[in-house]
């Protein structure tokens, strides 16, 4: 996410398809602490399997926020002690996170209601034809949603976020300091990584209207293929280890012209906005309300940013995920469950201390 290397992946999918004979398609996605018991969580049997089997399912809901269609995924607790609002990366398609959200709900034993909110015009249900939304507009959209849906909320509000969603959640914490109880930032994208060739490539593409239109058109061609063929292509090229829900999210929502234009336009404004350093003064001020989790090989949230946070805010909660799930953790079931376990542990520990 944070584009999932999406611009490169779409081209890679196109090149892979050209290299195969047509009949193939017709035959049938350093604190150095780590959450406890991670090895056990990854075993596809026993406790992990029972967690999957007893899941409550996240339900989609389409609402209006400040005049814009907004796609949600929700799991409601009958007696919530807190409410978790999940803010995605880019692409901001909430169905990429279905396994993660359902696992998190179960691991918190139904004590929290969980809501995930899409980014405007990133999913088919939320399209606003002809309009492109910037990073700032996406932040304002999440602010309006909280004011609309949580104005009279009587339980603590917890923000859990991924990639650029972490930047958004910190901005929401800045504006809603009394309402937001806790922020968990996963694989955070908080500043442009000038050492990343991938980011440089995506930045150049996102800054070019002609390239954005071309890549969006290529992606839309795949989205127009019959479902059986497009699913096969995604699984064989860029989604070999992906869960079925992630493959479906890419196929039905992302591989669409209007979605891709918005994904790339948001990326363009991310690079424009995030050329400076994070607001260290604010992070220091709110350090007790913030937890970060970084990955080992993640150019969106590189380890030199982890080290800089540790230097600037030495007593903030920092962890590194060392299980190899990558930035796009939610595209695999194992990654979703492991990260859900980590987040549930953070939330339980935080509120145990309150």
């Amino acid at each position: 996410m944070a584009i999932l290397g999406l611009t490169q992946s779409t081209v890679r999918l196109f090149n892979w398809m050209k290299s195969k004979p047509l009949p193939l398609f017709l035959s049938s996605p350093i604190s150095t602490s780590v959450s406890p018991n991670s090895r056990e969580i990854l075993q596809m049997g026993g406790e992990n399997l029972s967690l999957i089997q007893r899941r409550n399912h996240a339900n989609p809901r389409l609402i209006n926020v400040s005049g814009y269609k907004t796609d949600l995924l929700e799991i409601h607790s009958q007696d919530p002690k807190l409410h978790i609002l999940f803010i995605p990366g880019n692409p901001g398609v909430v169905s990429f996170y279905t396994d993660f959200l359902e696992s998190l709900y179960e691991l918190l034993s139904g004590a929290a209601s969980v809501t995930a909110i899409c980014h405007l015009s990133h999913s088919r249900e939320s399209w606003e034809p002809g309009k492109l939304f910037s990073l700032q507009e996406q932040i304002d959209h999440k602010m309006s949603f909280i004011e609309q849906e949580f104005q009279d909320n009587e339980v603590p509000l917890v923000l859990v976020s991924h990639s650029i969603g972490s930047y958004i959640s910190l901005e929401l914490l800045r504006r809603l300091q009394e309402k937001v109880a806790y922020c968990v930032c996963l694989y955070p994208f908080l500043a442009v990584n000038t050492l990343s060739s991938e980011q440089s490539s995506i930045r150049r593409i996102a800054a070019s209207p002609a390239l954005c239109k071309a890549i969006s058109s290529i992606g839309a061609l795949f989205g127009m293929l019959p479902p059986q063929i497009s699913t096969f292509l995604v699984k064989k090229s860029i989604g070999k280890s992906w869960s079925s829900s992630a493959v479906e999210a890419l196929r039905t929502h992302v591989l669409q012209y209007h979605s891709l234009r918005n994904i790339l336009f948001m990326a363009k404004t991310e690079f424009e906005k995030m050329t400076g350093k994070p607001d260290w003064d604010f992070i220091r001020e709110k350090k007790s309300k913030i937890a970060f989790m970084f990955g080992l090989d993640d150019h969106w949230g590189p380890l030199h940013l982890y080290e800089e946070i540790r230097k600037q805010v030495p007593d903030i909660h920092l962890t590194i995920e060392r299980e190899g799930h990558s930035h796009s953790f939610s595209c695999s079931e194992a990654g979703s469950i492991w990260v859900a376990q980590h987040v549930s542990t953070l939330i339980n520990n935080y509120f145990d201390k309150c």
Side-chain angles (χ1 to χ4, degrees), residues 245-264:
S245 60
V247 171
E248 186 68 6
L250 179 68
R251 190 185 68 79
T252 60
H253 295 291
V254 176
L255 293 180
Q256 306 291 332
Y257 181 82
H258 190 62
S259 295
L260 284 166
R261 287 299 310 278
N262 266 278
I263 288 165
L264 289 165

Side-chain angles (χ1 to χ4, degrees), residues 105-124:
Y105 178 86
E106 296 298 339
L107 287 162
L108 290 171
S109 303
S113 291
V114 178
T115 300
I117 181 171
C118 73
H119 294 326
L120 289 169
S121 278
H122 283 212
S123 66
R124 297 181 66 172

Side-chain angles (χ1 to χ4, degrees), residues 124-142:
R124 297 181 66 172
E125 289 81 2
S126 67
W127 281 350
E128 297 289 339
K131 184 164 178 58
L132 301 176
F133 294 92
S134 68
L135 172 61
Q136 187 58 54
E137 287 172 308
Q138 300 289 2
I139 294 170
D140 294 340
H141 170 247
K142 308 306 176 287

Side-chain angles (χ1 to χ4, degrees), residues 64-354:
N64 186 293
V65 177
S66 298
Y68 295 122
K69 297 187 293 291
T70 300
D71 189 23
L72 307 177
L73 266 183
E74 301 176 311
I75 313 177
H76 288 293
S77 168
Q78 293 184 342
D79 183 25
K81 303 300 186 293
L82 63 147
H83 201 122
I84 295 171
L85 175 62
F86 180 79
I87 301 173
N90 183 7
V93 178
V94 289
S95 52
F96 271 120
Y97 301 90
T98 300
D99 292 331
F100 168 72
L101 298 168
E102 293 176 351
S103 298
L104 181 58
Y105 178 86
E106 296 298 339
L107 287 162
L108 290 171
S109 303
S113 291
V114 178
T115 300
I117 181 171
C118 73
H119 294 326
L120 289 169
S121 278
H122 283 212
S123 66
R124 297 181 66 172
E125 289 81 2
S126 67
W127 281 350
E128 297 289 339
K131 184 164 178 58
L132 301 176
F133 294 92
S134 68
L135 172 61
Q136 187 58 54
E137 287 172 308
Q138 300 289 2
I139 294 170
D140 294 340
H141 170 247
K142 308 306 176 287
M143 180 73 180
S144 297
F145 172 75
I146 292 174
E147 290 175 338
Q148 174 180 310
E149 296 291 312
F150 298 102
Q151 186 173 12
D152 300 320
N153 200 41
E154 296 181 353
V155 299
L157 178 63
V158 174
L159 301 180
V160 178
S161 53
H162 175 222
S163 194
I164 189 61
S166 299
Y167 180 89
I168 294 173
S169 70
L170 291 177
E171 288 300 303
L172 295 174
L173 176 60
R174 186 194 307 277
R175 299 189 198 183
L176 299 164
Q177 298 185 26
E178 298 303 318
K179 184 174 287 290
V180 176
Y182 191 44
C183 267
V184 180
C185 301
L186 305 170
Y187 305 92
F189 179 32
L190 303 179
V192 172
N193 180 4
T194 57
L195 302 177
S196 169
S197 59
E198 293 98 328
Q199 284 192 31
S200 296
S201 175
I202 293 170
R203 186 175 190 172
R204 287 194 297 270
I205 291 169
S208 168
L211 285 174
C212 288
K213 289 178 181 179
I215 287 173
S216 299
S217 297
I218 292 170
L221 287 175
F222 291 115
M224 294 170 62
L225 292 172
Q228 183 179 9
I229 296 176
S230 59
T231 298
F232 175 81
L233 292 175
V234 171
K235 286 185 175 180
K236 287 294 183 180
S237 56
I238 62 175
K240 293 179 181 179
S241 62
W242 286 15
S243 65
S244 58
S245 60
V247 171
E248 186 68 6
L250 179 68
R251 190 185 68 79
T252 60
H253 295 291
V254 176
L255 293 180
Q256 306 291 332
Y257 181 82
H258 190 62
S259 295
L260 284 166
R261 287 299 310 278
N262 266 278
I263 288 165
L264 289 165
F265 183 74
M266 182 177 172
K268 172 181 177 290
T269 61
E270 289 173 33
F271 287 121
E272 292 170 348
K273 182 87 169 178
M274 301 172 64
T275 55
K277 297 180 179 179
D279 186 343
W280 299 123
D281 289 337
F282 175 72
I283 294 175
R284 284 189 203 98
E285 179 188 349
K286 297 300 175 185
K287 62 186 177 183
S288 64
K289 285 188 168 188
I290 302 170
F292 292 110
M293 188 192 80
F294 285 79
L296 277 176
D297 186 19
D298 180 12
H299 69 87
W300 296 108
L303 290 185
H304 65 76
L305 177 60
Y306 167 92
E307 294 293 349
E308 185 65 17
I309 295 176
R310 189 168 68 161
K311 175 183 175 182
Q312 295 286 343
V313 195
D315 46 355
I316 198 170
H317 194 287
L318 281 171
T319 56
I320 294 178
E321 178 267 300
R322 298 177 179 276
E323 304 296 327
H325 294 303
S326 82
H327 188 85
S328 53
F329 74 93
S330 65
C331 289
S332 75
E333 196 164 57
S336 295
I337 293 173
W338 191 93
V339 176
Q341 173 71 60
H342 178 75
V343 173
S344 66
T345 300
L346 287 175
I347 291 173
N348 282 327
N349 289 344
Y350 178 80
F351 285 100
D352 283 346
K353 295 175 183 177
C354 292

